Amino acid sequence: PKGVLTAGSLLVKKTFMHQGGQWFSLILVLFGRRHFCRVQGESMHPSFSTGDIVIYRPIKKEENQLRKGDVVVVHHPTKSKTLIIKRVYDIKSLCLDLRGDNENTSIDSRQFGLVNLNSICGIVENVIKVSTRSNKDNLIQKIWAEVL
């Protein structure tokens, strides 16, 4: 499902996927194996910026794949049609403590409380930095712009 995020996030990996990874992500999205959404907001700045595209792998609720530090896409706990992305700060039974990396602007579990595991849409695998000047003329960025 496509969506607009009200907050940004950060990949656990230190570097973003290279060009080949972006092409692979595009193929997985086109075949329905991955989902994507566009970032809106600065809660995880400087790693994510408004306009970046987040690619995430859907997970089943019964799969126990989450670890502290993972970045997840979840339904906002009070606005169910809104998606947010945050880092897993802590796992408590059937709930997650989610935090944004930018403490000054992030609205997260510190404000809305723990998030139920049933709200998880997926785990972030890749980000396409469309907001950077150097990427705007890139072919893969142009294709993603058409997909959106």
Side-chain angles (χ1 to χ4, degrees):
K2 299 178 189 177
V4 174
L5 301 175
T6 58
S9 188
L10 168 70
L11 286 176
V12 175
K13 300 174 187 176
K14 291 184 179 180
T15 57
F16 296 112
M17 302 258 318
H18 63 309
Q19 191 76 14
Q22 291 179 3
W23 283 105
F24 186 66
S25 291
L26 177 62
I27 291 168
L28 290 173
V29 166
L30 292 175
F31 283 99
R33 304 288 295 183
R34 298 295 183 270
H35 299 288
F36 69 94
C37 33
R38 188 178 292 271
V39 175
Q40 180 181 345
E42 300 298 324
S43 75
M44 297 296 272
H45 187 76
S47 299
F48 277 13
S49 298
T50 296
D52 291 347
I53 300 169
V54 173
I55 310 299
Y56 63 96
R57 176 176 45 90
I59 61 170
K60 296 176 181 163
K61 302 337 181 227
E62 62 274 3
E63 295 176 8
N64 189 11
Q65 305 173 5
L66 295 175
R67 289 182 241 150
K68 290 181 184 180
D70 283 347
V71 177
V72 293
V73 177
V74 300
H75 290 281
H76 191 285
T78 61
K79 304 172 189 172
S80 62
K81 293 184 180 183
T82 300
L83 298 176
I84 60 173
I85 53 178
K86 302 289 181 191
R87 183 177 305 283
V88 175
Y89 183 78
D90 198 8
I91 301 171
K92 302 179 183 209
S93 186
L94 298 175
C95 295
L96 298 173
D97 183 349
L98 301 177
R99 306 278 176 100
D101 287 351
N102 186 345
E103 291 184 18
N104 295 328
T105 62
S106 181
I107 297 174
D108 50 37
S109 288
R110 293 171 291 179
Q111 286 80 30
F112 52 67
L114 299 178
V115 176
N116 191 300
L117 285 172
N118 291 331
S119 297
I120 298 172
C121 297
I123 299 173
V124 174
E125 289 187 336
N126 196 358
V127 63
I128 299 177
K129 305 288 287 180
V130 297
S131 60
T132 59
R133 174 174 246 164
S134 61
N135 285 340
K136 286 191 175 180
D137 295 324
N138 191 319
L139 177 60
I140 190 74
Q141 311 308 334
K142 291 177 182 177
I143 292 172
W144 273 108
E146 292 298 317
V147 169
L148 293 173

